[in-house]
Amino acid sequence: DAGVIQSPRHEVTEMGQEVTLRCKPISGHDYLFWYRQTMMRGLELLIYFNNNVPIDDSGMPEDRFSAKMPNASFSTLKIQPSEPRDSAVYFCASSVGAINTEAFFGQGTRLTVV
Amino acid sequence: GDSVTQMEGPVTLSEEAFLTINCTYTATGYPSLFWYVQYPGEGLQLLLKATKADDKGSNKGFEATYRKETTSFHLEKGSVQVSDSAVYFCALWADSSYKLIFGSGTRLLVRP
């Protein structure tokens, strides 16, 4: 298996532009997680899905952020409009079940908003 | 609420030195505990885990014991290598909030 695949690996955009991050989870995994990593705040859980349904989005910072999972093999995280403080590494992870199980992480998307 | 506290980094060691990275947690119930490792430019990978008190997780020479009495899950390795240089994250699965909660991470630098 290729693991969790994220695209793009790097994204540089101007403030105010829309940004879409993409994730393909490991086949057969029923949970998908979006995390944000910054020096100041560490690793934060933004949202997670179970069987394509959003379960907990309490970590989404504000309405500018939205996430979808239209099917079991694809998810997007969208920021509109983007701001410089959104600059971070965004990770997608997937797992089989949630309790006591290993979460498999993608390589992340490094987002820079200028 | 549920939380994980790790020692501040960076931790700098010489090759073959003994490693300890401290991790303590606050949680209701009996959480499962994990150590993840992040190598430069990559995502996190599970290093080891323990699901109940007194369990010892081990992998690649690393060990951690789930100590309920001290609410700790310290990571140890007897002899580190340069290739162990990475950021190490302690985490717990919180039943109360049904999510995996990570500590802030500890950077380890191993010098030849």
Side-chain angles (χ1 to χ4, degrees):
Chain A
D1 199 317
V4 176
I5 299 173
Q6 292 186 246
S7 64
R9 288 294 310 276
H10 302 274
E11 176 80 40
V12 180
T13 190
E14 291 186 346
M15 183 174 63
Q17 296 298 304
E18 177 180 294
V19 175
T20 299
L21 312 181
R22 297 173 176 79
C23 174
K24 176 179 168 54
I26 294 173
S27 177
H29 284 194
D30 57 344
Y31 279 81
L32 184 139
F33 308 84
W34 282 101
Y35 287 89
R36 177 172 68 176
Q37 185 179 38
T38 61
M39 290 291 290
M40 291 295 293
R41 301 174 69 94
L43 200 60
E44 304 172 275
L45 177 64
L46 301 178
I47 184 171
Y48 75 91
F49 296 83
N50 175 218
N51 291 323
N52 314 338
V53 176
I55 303 300
D56 185 343
D57 65 355
S58 60
M60 296 285 263
E62 48 197 276
D63 291 345
R64 297 184 297 106
F65 286 69
S66 62
K68 294 182 180 180
M69 192 165 185
N71 57 62
S73 59
F74 184 65
S75 178
T76 60
L77 178 68
K78 186 177 292 186
I79 308 172
Q80 165 63 18
S82 58
E83 297 182 3
R85 61 194 168 115
D86 301 329
S87 298
V89 180
Y90 291 81
F91 287 103
C92 176
S94 70
S95 66
V96 176
I99 303 175
N100 301 338
T101 61
E102 177 179 0
F104 291 82
F105 282 74
Q107 291 187 294
T109 295
R110 181 174 295 278
L111 172 65
T112 303
V113 183
V114 297
Chain B
D2 301 318
S3 66
V4 176
T5 302
Q6 289 183 238
M7 61 189 289
E8 293 267 341
V11 173
T12 303
L13 296 173
S14 297
E15 207 165 21
E16 300 184 2
F18 183 86
L19 168 71
T20 300
I21 299 178
N22 290 339
C23 170
T24 56
Y25 67 90
T26 301
T28 55
Y30 302 93
S32 294
L33 302 174
F34 305 82
W35 277 101
Y36 279 79
V37 59
Q38 183 180 28
Y39 296 104
E42 298 184 10
L44 281 70
Q45 305 171 27
L46 180 66
L47 181 59
L48 54 84
K49 70 178 185 181
T51 58
K52 60 183 187 295
D54 300 325
D55 266 3
K56 176 184 284 188
S58 61
N59 186 26
K60 300 180 181 179
F62 290 89
E63 294 182 338
T65 301
Y66 188 160
R67 301 286 188 199
K68 189 173 184 302
E69 63 276 13
T70 55
T71 62
S72 64
F73 193 55
H74 304 323
L75 182 68
E76 296 181 337
K77 186 175 185 182
S79 175
V80 294
Q81 305 301 311
V82 172
S83 57
D84 293 327
S85 298
V87 181
Y88 292 81
F89 291 87
C90 186
L92 67 83
W93 176 262
D95 284 337
S96 58
S97 52
Y98 214 73
K99 60 180 69 172
L100 190 60
I101 296 174
F102 286 90
S104 56
T106 301
R107 182 175 299 278
L108 170 66
L109 297 172
V110 181
R111 303 196 185 283

